[in-house]
């Protein structure tokens, strides 16, 4: 209608204003945050920053005006969003986001911590081919089987521990937990939950997705602002190295109690065990 056209025109003329984000994807690294953001950007009422601003962890001294200036212009009723997956594990982030706005909606994309760790390692390996093996980084001491929880690849997956920090500042109802696995098996279903949480009309449905067998990922039939189909870039869906099954089992056992605690805290069973 005319209002829609006027709105489009206003954006083309550089109108609309930059607003601080009302919703932030705060985690987790290698969980599926890029896919979620790309899927969400299909929604006409979502406007998001493409790059990760890293404001609440690395750039906080630059101030809120700097942060706001990074945001896209929005019209009344549109939601401004950003994603920086490292926020979830940053000690200072909850207080900082809360002091920007107590009402900020937070989204955490979580994934089986063991596959998440392997994916994290795979990403590092692609940049630094000479790093030690996954197995040697996992243990403080291979003989005693003591797991090195200080290694970030393992640390990040202790979701319950990080979540406790956020719950000091935000009620659990203000945090949505998205399953990285379900985002692959049922993208429309997970996106439905996200749209509801953000108070958006359910515009993104299964009509928007097709499953790419080569990638093993759902892709968009039409990307934001384009008529072409769009899959995530070539750095997504890397082949993981084969990890010693005994090490994988040790990690499963290590994470199990933390996973159970996380299921209790969130009221959701993610089915990782």
């Amino acid at each position: 209608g005319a209002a829609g056209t006027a709105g489009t025109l206003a954006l083309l003329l550089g109108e609309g204003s930059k607003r601080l984000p009302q919703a932030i994807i705060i985690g987790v690294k290698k969980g599926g945050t890029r896919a979620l953001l790309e899927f969400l950007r299909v929604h006409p009422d979502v406007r998001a920053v493409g790059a990760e601003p890293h404001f609440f962890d690395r750039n906080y001294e630059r101030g809120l005006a700097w942060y706001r200036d990074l945001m896209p212009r929005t019209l009344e009723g549109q939601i401004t969003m950003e994603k920086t997956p490292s926020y979830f594990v940053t000690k200072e982030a909850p207080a900082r986001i809360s002091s920007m706005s107590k009402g900020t909606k937070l989204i955490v994309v979580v994934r089986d911590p063991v596959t998440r760790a392997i994916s994290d390692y795979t990403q590092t390996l692609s940049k630094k081919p000479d790093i030690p093996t996954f197995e040697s980084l996992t243990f403080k001491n291979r003989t005693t089987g003591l797991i090195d929880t200080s290694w970030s690849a393992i640390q990040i997956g202790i979701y319950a521990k990080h979540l406790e920090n956020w719950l000091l500042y935000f009620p659990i109802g203000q945090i949505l937990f998205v399953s990285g696995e379900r985002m692959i098996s049922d993208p429309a279903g997970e996106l439905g939950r996200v749209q509801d949480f953000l108070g958006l009309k359910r515009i993104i449905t299964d009509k928007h997705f097709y499953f790419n067998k080569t990638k093993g990922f759902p892709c968009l039939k039409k990307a934001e602002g384009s008529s072409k189909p769009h899959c995530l870039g070539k750095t997504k869906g890397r082949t993981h190295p084969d990890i010693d099954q005994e090490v994988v089992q040790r990690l499963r056992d290590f994470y199990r109690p933390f996973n159970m605690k996380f299921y209790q805290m969130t009221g959701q069973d993610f089915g990782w065990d």
Side-chain angles (χ1 to χ4, degrees), residues 113-205:
V114 180
T115 45
R116 197 222 65 81
I118 297 168
S119 176
D120 198 332
Y121 173 79
T122 307
Q123 180 177 29
T124 310
L125 189 62
S126 73
K127 295 177 186 159
K128 307 181 185 166
D130 11 338
I131 55 166
T133 64
F134 180 85
E135 289 82 354
S136 63
L137 290 166
T138 298
F139 298 105
K140 275 214 215 10
N141 181 330
R142 184 80 201 248
T143 1
T144 59
L146 258 185
I147 285 169
D148 187 356
T149 54
S150 71
W151 182 27
S152 71
I154 284 169
Q155 177 65 235
I156 292 170
I158 309 174
Y159 304 141
K161 177 178 154 264
H162 304 297
L163 179 55
E164 280 180 338
N165 193 26
W166 288 88
L167 295 180
L168 301 172
Y169 296 88
F170 291 93
I172 193 94
Q174 220 166 298
I175 312 176
L176 181 71
F177 300 92
V178 172
S179 159
E181 286 85 11
R182 276 201 306 265
M183 215 159 46
I184 294 171
S185 63
D186 178 22
E190 279 305 89
L191 265 287
R193 293 178 59 237
V194 178
Q195 290 170 96
D196 292 351
F197 174 72
L198 294 174
L200 295 166
K201 277 210 219 71
R202 282 200 177 202
I203 289 175
I204 309 166
T205 63

Side-chain angles (χ1 to χ4, degrees), residues 6-260:
T8 307
L9 190 58
L11 275 184
L12 285 172
L13 296 171
E15 293 176 35
S17 37
K18 296 185 174 193
R19 298 180 176 90
L20 289 166
Q22 300 94 326
I24 305 177
I25 299 171
I26 58 170
V28 301
K29 185 183 180 197
K30 310 311 297 173
T33 60
R34 172 56 58 192
L36 176 59
L37 192 65
E38 295 302 311
F39 295 168
L40 266 178
R41 290 170 91 163
V42 168
H43 201 293
D45 293 331
V46 170
R47 303 279 288 128
V49 187
E52 298 176 4
H54 282 281
F55 177 64
F56 296 103
D57 55 353
R58 302 181 202 155
N59 292 306
Y60 196 61
E61 18 5 285
R62 296 183 185 228
L64 280 170
W66 175 85
Y67 182 52
R68 193 175 85 172
D69 198 50
L70 296 176
M71 299 300 147
R73 294 181 179 276
T74 53
L75 298 169
E76 210 54 57
Q78 290 184 317
I79 291 180
T80 303
M81 288 189 73
E82 71 117 315
K83 79 129 179 143
T84 306
S86 48
Y87 291 165
F88 188 61
V89 299
T90 302
K91 208 78 189 122
E92 304 77 17
R96 288 170 174 178
I97 294 177
S98 165
S99 83
M100 171 182 72
S101 164
K102 284 190 180 359
T104 311
K105 290 181 176 180
L106 307 171
I107 300 176
V108 190
V109 187
V110 286
R111 172 187 189 184
D112 181 320
V114 180
T115 45
R116 197 222 65 81
I118 297 168
S119 176
D120 198 332
Y121 173 79
T122 307
Q123 180 177 29
T124 310
L125 189 62
S126 73
K127 295 177 186 159
K128 307 181 185 166
D130 11 338
I131 55 166
T133 64
F134 180 85
E135 289 82 354
S136 63
L137 290 166
T138 298
F139 298 105
K140 275 214 215 10
N141 181 330
R142 184 80 201 248
T143 1
T144 59
L146 258 185
I147 285 169
D148 187 356
T149 54
S150 71
W151 182 27
S152 71
I154 284 169
Q155 177 65 235
I156 292 170
I158 309 174
Y159 304 141
K161 177 178 154 264
H162 304 297
L163 179 55
E164 280 180 338
N165 193 26
W166 288 88
L167 295 180
L168 301 172
Y169 296 88
F170 291 93
I172 193 94
Q174 220 166 298
I175 312 176
L176 181 71
F177 300 92
V178 172
S179 159
E181 286 85 11
R182 276 201 306 265
M183 215 159 46
I184 294 171
S185 63
D186 178 22
E190 279 305 89
L191 265 287
R193 293 178 59 237
V194 178
Q195 290 170 96
D196 292 351
F197 174 72
L198 294 174
L200 295 166
K201 277 210 219 71
R202 282 200 177 202
I203 289 175
I204 309 166
T205 63
D206 39 20
K207 289 194 266 306
H208 287 88
F209 300 99
Y210 71 94
F211 193 79
N212 180 311
K213 295 198 178 58
T214 320
K215 276 210 163 280
F217 273 179
C219 300
L220 292 167
K221 287 187 185 157
K222 287 189 174 70
E224 181 215 15
S226 152
S227 55
K228 292 194 195 56
H230 173 68
C231 286
L232 292 180
K234 50 188 165 303
T235 65
K236 303 300 177 183
R238 292 189 187 97
T239 319
H240 291 178
D242 278 328
I243 308 295
D244 181 340
Q245 275 315 294
E246 190 199 338
V247 173
V248 172
Q249 197 48 54
R250 287 297 327 254
L251 278 175
R252 297 227 160 272
D253 298 342
F254 166 77
Y255 279 119
R256 192 167 299 108
F258 298 111
N259 289 346
M260 293 306 155

